Amino acid sequence: MRQAKVSSRWLPLLAAIVAIAQPGRAAVPGEVQYQGLLLDDLGQPVTETVSMGFALYDAVTGGTMLWSESHPAVGVVDGVYEVTLGSVTPIDAALVAGGSLYLEVSVEAEVLTPRQALLVVPYALRSAVAEDAERLVGVDGAFLAEMVKNISFDGADPPNQDPREGVSDVDGDGLANFMDPDNDGDGLSDEDELAAASDINLVTPSLTGFAPATADGFVASTVQVQGTSFEPGMSVSFGTQNPTPTNLTPTSFDVLVGPQPAGDATVIVTRLNGESAQATFPFFLFEPVLTSISPAVLIFGQGGTLTVHGADFVDGLVVDFGSQSPTPFNVTPSQFDITVAGSEPVGFVEVTITLPNGNFVTSPDSFRVADDKVVFLTSTEQTGSMGGLAAADAICNSLAQAAALPGTFQAWLADSTGSPATRSTQHTGPYVRTDGVIVASDWSGLIVGILDAGISVDESGIARPGSTAWTNVQPETAAMESDDHCLDWTNQQSALGRYGLASQTGEQWTSFDALGCSFSRRLYCIEQ
């Protein structure tokens, strides 16, 4: 390279004409990528490392310096250099947005003139300008033309002479295509669109998500498709269907899809210009969940209505209940009811729930038919003068028969003639209420004084909270506790009767206090 004196080494006029500012491509806030061409005094491209300075002014000459920074070692190759303005001293965004700015460049402390408008764009460097430069300074115009054509100012792969680039401004944003990183203004970078084989000069839709994110392939579902650049008249392919979009906006629309096979369905959205976006949407087949059945126990020979609890229940489901197939009713996603007969044998009943899509759940231990002995609180009340133990037993059996309870029942009463300790069958299995709730695991659990649940439900399964019951039965032994038995349960005058609290599970359930026999109370009835 020919050397010249410092004062005349650089070619300032040409450098000012061909320097390239890219305010649209900030690497980080406060930075601007800047490219330029540096020639020597003979118009030849420079290849070396030089010290450069940059300053922004508010006028082409004179004016006020608004910003400056130095770059002590800038690599120049074949005349081309690139620096990041703001990398040393950040450029305030308000400064760039405030109006016309002019960039002053210095090389090796020599100021190049004239200053350049910061928003100068490369397409001003058409061949005619290059030819003028050649005429003025003797530079090969082809060199400048090739620089403008082939340097990737916007970061995308097509060379600047590509028909998709060039000096036109497809989206009207003031940037020529060859320095605009998003030619069509669709929010997708040219680089990404090229990678997806999309046309960078045509608006391309995008798919960003679905709500809900998945659906049961066995039934029809409304799905919201989310994305960008949606338009009326575009076509939608959703798995095996071509649904018509509804509630269409530029960023979302709804489609009714399904039934479809389980698995990922391909979703394609195509605009009228032929540009499309593609994603996948998973269909699956729901599986029912069985968490519990209430009541969880029925007495052998006793039918009733049960409530099945769980998840993902739908109309049309089928229930197998042991040897029965009861019809579900009151179906919601989390529960349904069935009515079963008392025909199942003692033991656990296998329950299977099958959805219309064929998926099912089986539970071998959610429900039990028991040979338990039933206990209940009478729905009626009577004074302490009820006619003795035999009369009390008769009250229990009459109410049990009216409620269709099988078996023989005995009143939980004690007086001078007898007590549960001498009268009752001491069952080795559980004692349960008429609502299926276990009261005690066996006779020992019944008399120990600590029940699993209070005997506060009557013969029809109706809760009677706050009730009291005549007893005079001692905890732990089931024998007569005192002489408070209303004269063997036959006299309500000037005598006392001992009673228990039906809602209690401690000893107070059978022995709480003694009051006058003229009061009306209920009875506990125990199956024998």
Side-chain angles (χ1 to χ4, degrees):
M1 177 182 296
R2 296 181 59 183
Q3 301 295 322
K5 294 183 297 181
V6 171
S7 59
S8 60
R9 181 177 181 183
W10 317 111
L11 190 61
L13 177 62
L14 185 59
I17 293 174
V18 302
I20 298 162
Q22 290 183 282
R25 292 190 60 213
V28 294
E31 297 184 359
V32 176
Q33 293 298 113
Y34 182 85
Q35 290 176 315
L37 180 65
L38 186 63
L39 309 178
D40 64 13
D41 57 347
L42 298 179
Q44 298 301 310
V46 174
T47 297
E48 62 180 275
T49 298
V50 297
S51 171
M52 301 187 73
F54 302 87
L56 289 176
Y57 287 82
D58 58 4
V60 67
T61 59
T64 301
M65 185 173 69
L66 306 175
W67 167 91
S68 67
E69 69 180 15
S70 298
H71 291 255
V74 178
V76 186
V77 178
D78 292 332
V80 178
Y81 66 89
E82 179 175 351
V83 294
T84 301
L85 303 183
S87 62
V88 178
T89 303
I91 301 174
D92 192 318
L95 175 64
V96 177
S100 298
L101 296 175
Y102 298 89
L103 180 66
E104 181 178 274
V105 180
S106 60
V107 181
E108 300 292 354
E110 179 179 348
V111 175
L112 307 184
T113 58
R115 296 172 184 164
Q116 306 161 56
L118 182 61
L119 297 181
V120 117
V121 292
Y123 58 77
L125 295 173
R126 57 189 184 275
S127 297
V129 175
E131 290 171 0
D132 287 344
E134 180 181 12
R135 177 175 56 81
L136 290 172
V137 297
V139 177
D140 184 357
F143 178 85
L144 299 178
E146 287 302 310
M147 172 185 171
V148 172
K149 287 180 180 180
N150 296 301
I151 292 178
S152 179
F153 295 110
D154 62 358
D157 289 336
N160 296 332
Q161 73 269 28
D162 188 288
R164 291 169 294 178
E165 296 282 26
V167 298
S168 62
D169 181 8
V170 170
D171 58 7
D173 63 356
L175 293 176
N177 288 354
F178 82 102
M179 70 173 300
D180 188 348
D182 181 10
N183 282 5
D184 49 21
D186 58 7
L188 304 174
S189 71
D190 293 347
E191 186 174 6
D192 289 343
E193 290 194 86
L194 286 169
S198 297
D199 193 320
I200 62 177
N201 285 349
L202 295 176
V203 173
T204 304
S206 70
L207 292 173
T208 59
F210 303 93
T214 187
D216 185 358
F218 189 78
V219 298
S221 304
T222 297
V223 176
Q224 183 185 74
V225 182
Q226 301 161 346
T228 61
S229 301
F230 299 149
E231 65 175 347
M234 67 182 182
S235 64
V236 178
S237 172
F238 205 108
T240 60
Q241 298 172 285
N242 297 103
T244 300
T246 59
N247 301 323
L248 178 67
T249 74
T251 58
S252 69
F253 61 85
D254 296 336
V255 286
L256 182 64
V257 293
Q260 292 205 33
D264 287 342
T266 299
V267 180
I268 302 175
V269 175
T270 305
R271 285 175 55 93
L272 299 178
N273 62 11
E275 292 295 290
S276 63
Q278 180 172 313
T280 58
F281 179 86
F283 283 102
F284 71 98
L285 300 181
F286 282 108
E287 295 184 358
V289 177
L290 194 163
T291 56
S292 65
I293 300 175
S294 58
V297 178
L298 281 181
I299 305 305
F300 175 69
Q302 178 180 320
T305 297
L306 311 176
T307 300
V308 181
H309 305 275
D312 295 330
F313 299 148
V314 296
D315 287 329
L317 61 84
V318 175
V319 178
D320 292 313
F321 187 89
S323 62
Q324 306 175 57
S325 298
T327 301
F329 60 97
N330 297 331
V331 178
T332 73
S334 60
Q335 68 179 50
F336 60 86
D337 297 329
I338 54 175
T339 299
V340 298
S343 57
E344 300 303 318
V346 172
F348 284 103
V349 177
E350 184 171 271
V351 180
T352 299
I353 301 170
T354 304
L355 297 184
N357 63 20
N359 284 341
F360 65 91
V361 60
T362 296
S363 175
D365 56 5
S366 293
F367 186 84
R368 184 165 60 92
V369 174
D371 59 350
D372 306 337
K373 297 301 183 181
V374 175
V375 298
F376 65 85
L377 183 70
T378 59
S379 59
T380 60
E381 296 180 342
Q382 41 278 319
T383 67
S385 180
M386 65 187 79
L389 297 181
D393 293 345
I395 293 172
C396 286
N397 283 292
S398 175
L399 293 174
Q401 291 172 12
L405 296 178
T408 301
F409 288 81
Q410 189 180 92
W412 182 264
L413 279 177
D415 62 13
S416 63
T417 66
S419 69
T422 59
R423 298 193 322 130
S424 295
T425 301
Q426 299 181 7
H427 185 50
T428 57
Y431 289 86
V432 299
R433 299 187 316 202
T434 53
D435 62 355
V437 175
I438 295 177
V439 171
S441 59
D442 54 21
W443 174 262
S444 296
L446 187 66
I447 68 172
V448 74
I450 304 296
L451 303 181
D452 294 334
I455 307 175
S456 56
V457 176
D458 70 14
E459 67 276 2
S460 298
I462 299 174
R464 303 285 182 175
S467 296
T468 58
W470 296 115
T471 58
N472 195 35
V473 178
Q474 182 180 3
E476 298 185 5
T477 65
M480 182 180 72
E481 183 171 7
S482 67
D483 291 333
D484 297 329
H485 48 65
C486 299
L487 298 179
D488 292 333
W489 306 110
T490 62
N491 192 318
Q492 65 182 30
Q493 300 297 325
S494 66
L496 296 179
R498 181 160 288 277
Y499 64 93
L501 303 179
S503 297
Q504 294 296 309
T505 56
E507 292 183 353
Q508 290 178 337
W509 80 269
T510 186
S511 179
F512 176 68
D513 200 358
L515 287 177
C517 297
S518 61
F519 286 94
S520 293
R521 305 188 190 283
R522 305 181 193 276
L523 295 173
Y524 295 130
C525 299
I526 313 295
E527 184 183 3
Q528 300 304 296

